Amino acid sequence: INNSRFSLEYFSNSEVTKDDGQDVINSLTKKQKTLPPRYFYDAKGSQLFEDICQLSEYYPTRTEASILKQYANDITKVTGKVELIELGSGSSTKTRFLLDAYQTLDYPLTYIPIDVSGSILKESANSLLTDYPTLNIQGKVGTYQQCLTNIKATDKQPKMVLFLGSTIGNFNHQECDRFIDLVTDSLNSGDYFLLGIDLQKPQEILEAAYNDIQGVTAAFNLNMLQHLNWKFQGNFDINLFKHQAIYNNQEHQIEMYLISNQAHTATLQILDLAIDFAEGETIRTEISRKFNIEQMTKYLANKELVLRHSYTDTKQWFGLLLCQK
Ligand code: AVI
């Protein structure tokens, strides 16, 4: 993209590193085998996720979009003029409601999308530059850690960090702590954090959202094995696995599994790893925690993030928390 309103900085490359592999080895050699959810998102997986967002069963995306649409102007009134930084921006579709609203405040608006995928970032920047003729876009490709650390050092303008889609639900408690600490460190006092959280609701609705009839979520889950095959020269046979998502009522989280339907061994050559599966043995590929607004508010307050306003939909299925450091 050749445009004076656009810049792109790379903090990570797509080469396979030793650490990547170590992560997979550790996860697959535990008693309950797991895999890091970031392996969902190769080019095919990212497309499947976009498809999931369109499913009638998968309510989070459209519910969050409806909240943003309804309250974007209210949000601008609370924060005033800020620079927008989005973590895991992806296609930036929902962000447009905020860009529309901030645009009306009439100042040089800067949007800093951060994503691990450079290709999706360029694609979405291209269409944003056309649709928002005065918007400045400073994309950053890398992990949240890499990109946020850098922002703290360079940025003095009031800002708001966006973390939408309830992606925070894919972190366990420890990862969540570390993530929020990272965000808090990157904010100056007075800066804002806008967090999207999926709320607790009846089990049937949750399980339907992660076991859609068309099998898109199943394809998304199984694609992780194909991604590993490609990345680490593996021989996972996706026909030997079945997708399942169940709601864990105690932990308030969806758990996604791949279940091996027979005893077999798979290998990942580059990692020098052979993985034995018993019949019925599972790999847990994702947790998706479901939250309660009051509890989350207390948690954030303990982390120096004070709730300014919370927004929700009429069914109270999804929440947007606007916090300030
Ligand atoms: C990205 N993340 C918030 C999604 C979720 O709902 O936890 C990922 C997903 N997994 C299955 N469907 C969607």
Side-chain angles (χ1 to χ4, degrees), residues 242-273:
K242 206 176 93 213
H243 158 83
Q244 189 183 42
I246 55 144
Y247 188 58
N248 179 332
N249 259 308
Q250 269 81 54
E251 300 291 335
H252 304 290
Q253 64 190 23
I254 284 283
E255 296 172 355
M256 283 218 311
Y257 295 95
L258 290 167
I259 309 171
S260 167
N261 56 30
Q262 64 181 61
H264 74 285
T265 302
T267 57
L268 292 171
Q269 248 191 56
I270 291 187
L271 303 182
D272 223 349
L273 184 68

Side-chain angles (χ1 to χ4, degrees), residues 106-213:
D106 201 26
Y107 66 112
L109 178 57
T110 300
Y111 174 49
I112 306 181
I114 293 175
D115 208 282
V116 281
S117 162
S119 57
I120 195 153
L121 225 157
K122 278 188 248 177
E123 222 175 277
S124 70
N126 233 331
S127 72
L128 290 174
L129 287 167
T130 312
D131 296 344
Y132 297 85
T134 58
L135 182 66
N136 281 294
I137 305 180
Q138 299 171 10
K140 298 193 192 300
V141 180
T143 63
Y144 304 146
Q145 167 116 42
Q146 289 166 328
C147 299
L148 275 182
T149 309
N150 169 271
I151 273 168
K152 168 114 200 192
T154 58
D155 192 61
K156 290 279 165 287
Q157 272 183 286
K159 59 183 180 285
M160 174 158 75
V161 170
L162 315 172
F163 196 45
L164 304 177
S166 201
T167 303
I168 196 167
N170 298 134
F171 298 149
N172 65 31
H173 291 267
Q174 192 193 6
E175 292 162 340
C176 186
D177 279 345
R178 264 190 260 136
F179 172 79
I180 293 292
D181 290 343
L182 188 69
V183 171
T184 315
D185 282 347
S186 76
L187 299 176
N188 294 305
S189 140
D191 285 344
Y192 292 91
F193 179 49
L194 185 66
L195 177 67
I197 53 172
D198 197 10
L199 301 176
Q200 291 163 14
K201 59 182 64 62
Q203 179 154 4
E204 311 79 69
I205 299 165
L206 287 165
E207 289 187 343
Y210 291 82
N211 293 286
D212 64 280
I213 299 281

Side-chain angles (χ1 to χ4, degrees), residues 40-41 49 52-53 55 58 60 164-170 198 209-210 212 217 220-221 243 245 254 256 286-290:
F40 284 129
Y41 302 99
F49 180 65
I52 287 174
C53 293
L55 293 168
Y58 194 75
L164 304 177
S166 201
T167 303
I168 196 167
N170 298 134
D198 197 10
Y210 291 82
D212 64 280
T217 310
F220 172 74
N221 200 3
H243 158 83
I254 284 283
M256 283 218 311
E286 182 181 68
I287 61 166
S288 190
R289 292 165 59 201
K290 305 303 164 190

